[in-house]
Amino acid sequence: QVQLLESGGGLVQAGESLTLSCAVSGRTFSSHTMGWFRQAPGKEREVICISWSSSITYYADSVKGRFTISRVNAKNTVYLQMNSLKPEDTAVYFCAARPGSGYHIGRDDFDYWGRGTQVTVSS
C-alpha cells in the first residue's frame, strides 16, 4: 500500500511562487510514476505534470515553463515548484502515484492519491 501526503499549499498573490511537497510511504517509490493534478471548483481534475524519472517528465500546456516537478528518491518525496502563479491556478492540488513506468497521464491511470492541498492565488 502506498500513502501520499501533500503539504505546502496556501494563499499567494499573482506572480509569486509556491512549492508543494508530497511525502510517499512505501519502499518502491523509485519505481513509481508520480504525478500532480489539480481540481478547481466546478471543474474536473486535470493533470499538471508527470514524472517517470528525474529526467523524463510531462507538463500540461497551461503550466509549461512555470511549474517544475522533481523527485528525491532517497527522501520518498516529489515536489512541485510553481512560479509566476496566476489566479487561474487556484485549485486543490493532488499528488498521485502508479506502479511502473508506462506512458499514462490520465487521472484514471493513477492508483494512489493524496487528500490534496489548497492553493489560492489572488489577483
Side-chain angles (χ1 to χ4, degrees):
Q1 186 73 13
V2 177
Q3 295 183 329
L4 299 86
L5 181 63
E6 305 96 336
S7 62
L11 172 64
V12 297
Q13 293 187 337
E16 293 185 341
S17 299
L18 202 61
T19 300
L20 306 182
S21 300
C22 175
V24 183
S25 67
R27 299 181 178 179
T28 59
F29 172 76
S30 61
S31 65
H32 278 66
T33 299
M34 301 300 302
W36 284 98
F37 293 73
R38 68 185 179 187
Q39 187 167 14
K43 296 187 177 181
E44 293 189 352
R45 192 170 301 186
E46 61 176 357
V47 62
I48 302 172
C49 50
I50 307 293
S51 168
W52 288 274
S53 71
S54 297
S55 58
I56 303 175
T57 56
Y58 161 87
Y59 292 93
D61 288 342
S62 58
V63 304
K64 196 173 296 182
R66 299 189 298 123
F67 290 13
T68 303
I69 186 172
S70 62
R71 59 195 296 168
V72 179
N73 289 340
K75 294 184 176 181
N76 279 19
T77 302
V78 61
Y79 302 94
L80 180 64
Q81 173 68 41
M82 304 183 292
N83 298 326
S84 302
L85 282 162
K86 305 175 182 180
E88 51 264 43
D89 293 319
T90 295
V92 178
Y93 284 69
F94 297 90
C95 178
R98 69 177 306 276
S101 58
Y103 186 81
H104 302 283
I105 63 172
R107 63 183 183 187
D108 294 337
D109 295 322
F110 284 75
D111 302 298
Y112 306 103
W113 292 85
R115 293 187 176 183
T117 185
Q118 176 71 45
V119 173
T120 303
V121 184
S122 63
S123 58

